[in-house]
Amino acid sequence: MAPRTLHVTVPDVDWVDRLADLTDVDLTVWDFSSPQPERHVDLAVRPYTVAAAGLDALDPARLGVIQSQALGFDGVAETLPAGITYCNAVGVHEESTAELAVALLLASQREVDRYAREAGQWNRRFTASLIDRRILLLGQGGIGGELVKRLDGFGAELVRVASRRREDDRGVVHGVDELPSLLPTVDVVVLAVPLTDDTTRLVDDAFLAALPDGAVVVNVSRGPVVDGDAVVREAGRIRFATDVTAPEPLPPEHPLWSTPGVLVSPHVGGMSSAMQPRIERVVRRQVARLLDGLGPDDVVLG
């Protein structure tokens, strides 16, 4: 029996060059913006883009598996045709996103953004640190787990919160229902939760009002988890640093750009030098599994 040839599409010619050593694989460039290939595609590597855009027009008779380069998959269930398997990029972005969350937190606490705006002025002042602070980490998934590792060394007390209360080898993980009693006791909140019906606009006026004066909120989950208008209303009393917004891109005239105490980065948590080699390893693993007759890893739909 002749060896099976796996038909794989990749977003650009650079991907073809990187995967050129693969055997029993036929590589074609398809970036999802042009018509779907006529022949059947076993594995399609999606560009690093908005998860759900353009999926509803796909023909499942000619497409087996989509490998996303993103970790999130907001809206995919509502648009992906039945019969197509969708895999997210587990292990690719978690560490880089946690790294950026810490960078945003430190920049906000030590007011690095203010120093940048005051370039040329020698304005010294005491700022907040992470030392001896109480940090509430909301979300215990992949990014949350990497944040625990990175926040451990800052001399802060870490309060972990997930959807339900439980205990593990580190101690208590509080449930989200305990937030009303926890929020007044913390100095920092870091958000690393998936976007669901329960987390949409979770951070609203009541959430922010429960925080003490001078608290900082860092969001590396999804923009709709936070009510941006509530942030603007509480600005000056609390500070806010975010890598995600609603909408995205954030329009130039949006008040978050100019609100004092607010620091915004343009959804770049996973966009580090670590991404490309990691997503390439994911794709190579998926190819090997499919050639071996196994199902793909990290299936979220299908």
Side-chain angles (χ1 to χ4, degrees):
M1 180 181 297
R4 178 191 178 195
T5 297
L6 198 73
H7 298 292
V8 177
T9 65
V10 289
D12 54 53
V13 293
D14 288 341
W15 268 98
V16 174
D17 293 339
R18 287 193 291 268
L19 301 179
D21 61 303
L22 292 175
T23 58
D24 301 323
V25 173
D26 179 35
L27 291 171
T28 304
V29 174
W30 177 43
D31 64 1
F32 282 72
S33 66
S34 58
Q36 183 177 344
E38 287 299 322
R39 73 177 182 188
H40 187 270
V41 174
D42 298 294
L43 175 67
V45 181
R46 190 155 166 77
Y48 187 44
T49 184
V50 177
L55 297 178
D56 53 348
L58 298 177
D59 178 4
R62 292 181 284 128
L63 179 57
V65 179
I66 295 175
Q67 175 62 59
S68 172
Q69 296 191 57
L71 185 61
F73 47 96
D74 313 342
V76 173
E78 292 77 22
T79 57
L80 187 71
I84 298 175
T85 299
Y86 193 93
C87 306
N88 66 337
V90 174
V92 175
H93 302 291
E94 293 91 333
E95 291 183 74
S96 288
T97 302
E99 181 179 77
L100 181 63
V102 174
L104 288 170
L105 175 53
L106 286 170
S108 184
Q109 286 288 85
R110 300 307 298 265
E111 301 184 26
V112 175
D113 56 329
R114 181 179 67 86
Y115 294 136
R117 290 193 301 271
E118 296 176 354
Q121 303 177 50
W122 195 258
N123 292 334
R124 301 173 69 205
R125 61 179 291 182
F126 281 94
T127 58
S129 71
L130 295 186
I131 301 165
D132 298 333
R133 297 290 170 166
R134 187 169 158 91
I135 302 174
L136 189 151
L137 174 57
L138 182 52
Q140 296 299 301
I143 296 172
E146 295 300 332
L147 273 163
V148 169
K149 298 176 187 177
R150 284 154 181 78
L151 292 171
D152 261 348
F154 282 100
E157 179 185 358
L158 193 59
V159 180
R160 296 175 300 149
V161 179
S163 56
R164 295 179 302 278
R165 185 183 178 95
R166 63 177 187 268
E167 292 194 17
D168 59 19
D169 56 358
R170 291 182 57 97
V172 174
V173 178
H174 298 272
V176 71
D177 59 313
E178 299 176 68
L179 282 175
S181 62
L182 291 172
L183 291 174
T185 73
V186 300
D187 307 291
V188 174
V189 174
V190 182
L191 305 167
V193 295
L195 181 62
T196 66
D197 290 342
D198 291 334
T199 62
T200 298
R201 296 172 75 91
L202 174 64
V203 180
D204 56 11
D205 286 293
F207 186 108
L208 297 174
L211 291 168
D213 292 352
V216 59
V217 176
V218 177
N219 186 14
V220 290
S221 50
R222 284 292 184 265
V225 170
V226 173
D227 180 347
D229 292 335
V231 169
V232 173
R233 286 190 287 269
E234 286 284 342
R237 194 184 72 81
I238 65 161
R239 287 163 294 128
F240 185 63
T242 188
D243 184 48
V244 288
T245 60
E248 289 186 3
L250 194 65
E253 67 277 8
H254 197 284
L256 282 179
W257 287 118
S258 56
T259 299
V262 174
L263 179 61
V264 179
S265 59
H267 204 154
V268 292
M271 297 178 69
S272 78
S273 57
M275 177 183 165
Q276 187 56 51
R278 289 177 181 233
I279 188 60
E280 184 178 325
R281 287 197 292 270
V282 168
V283 171
R284 287 176 176 272
R285 184 178 73 246
Q286 301 287 46
V287 166
R289 290 183 63 85
L290 294 176
L291 284 172
D292 287 342
L294 303 173
D297 279 334
D298 306 319
V299 173
V300 292
L301 287 167

